[in-house]
Structures are given as structure tokens and as C-alpha cells.
Amino acid sequence: MKKSTITIDVALDEKNVPEQISWSATASTADIPRPAKALMLSFWDGGDKSALRMDLWTKEMMVDEMADFYYQTMMTMADSFERATHQQELVNDIREFAKAFYTKFQDIQLKENKA
């Protein structure tokens, strides 16, 4: 069996707030750890039937970047759900929600920037 190890390093400030996030994988073509401003990691515990999650972001993560991150994450979740279930109607619902979420974010940003 082929195996790959993914390593995530998080540098914290004195209040345990992430300052830097980097990751590397043994199966990656990258020679050095790659920086990231945010991460979302989910595991499914089949015994407990529950999702275990970790969401981290650095102080440098901007609000507009967070909205992009969420939008892109929701769209890729739709892609994964489609491959796993072939439930096109539900996949379309996820994608439509992601688009509506991002459009609403942009509208709010425009209003706040005009104020």
C-alpha cells in the first residue's frame, strides 16, 4: 500500500493565535513547505457518526480572502458530494447557495465601503 504523510505546522503568538501556517506532503512535488493563510480540516468519525473539524486562519487573512476561501470550499464540497453520491439536485443546491453567499458578501462589502 502506498502511503503519504501530510504535515501541518502552525506558529502561534503568545495568545495562541496563528501567525503562520505551512504544510507539506510526502507525495507533493514541492521541495519546501507551502505557506497558507487558512485551513479547514474535517475528519469523519464513523463510530460516533460525527464530523471532527479544525478551522484556523492567520492574522493576515483578509475578510475578502475569507469569503473567497469559503466560496471555493463550498464549491469543491459540491464537487466531492457529486462524485460520492451522484445526487445532482443536492449538488446544484450547494452550488447555488455558494453563489448566493458570495454575491451577498460582495453586496455587503460595497455597502460598507460606501459608508
Side-chain angles (χ1 to χ4, degrees):
M1 175 188 332
K2 188 174 179 179
K3 183 178 176 181
S4 178
T5 301
I6 300 169
T7 302
I8 301 168
D9 291 306
V10 181
L12 304 171
D13 69 9
E14 65 281 347
K15 294 180 182 177
N16 291 329
V17 175
E19 286 190 317
Q20 295 178 336
I21 301 170
S22 63
W23 67 275
S24 60
T26 56
S28 173
T29 58
D31 294 341
I32 59 173
R34 304 274 320 253
K37 287 187 176 181
L39 72 85
M40 290 183 193
L41 183 63
S42 299
F43 294 98
W44 178 249
D45 184 326
D48 286 345
K49 302 281 188 214
S50 62
L52 309 171
R53 297 182 35 89
M54 178 186 352
D55 300 331
L56 297 174
W57 56 93
T58 65
K59 298 173 187 179
E60 286 77 33
M61 185 76 167
M62 303 301 292
V63 173
D64 61 325
E65 291 178 305
M66 185 63 83
D68 289 340
F69 183 45
Y70 268 75
Y71 170 72
Q72 291 179 31
T73 298
M74 286 186 270
M75 293 300 274
T76 58
M77 288 172 63
D79 295 341
S80 296
F81 195 77
E82 182 176 34
R83 285 192 309 274
T85 68
H86 305 291
Q87 295 288 325
Q88 197 60 51
E89 183 178 349
L90 295 173
V91 169
N92 291 341
D93 287 347
I94 296 168
R95 288 184 180 135
E96 288 303 314
F97 173 79
K99 290 174 188 172
F101 164 87
Y102 195 69
T103 299
K104 190 170 186 176
F105 169 79
Q106 290 173 319
D107 291 344
I108 291 169
Q109 286 293 97
L110 281 173
K111 287 176 189 172
E112 288 179 357
N113 289 336
K114 287 182 181 179

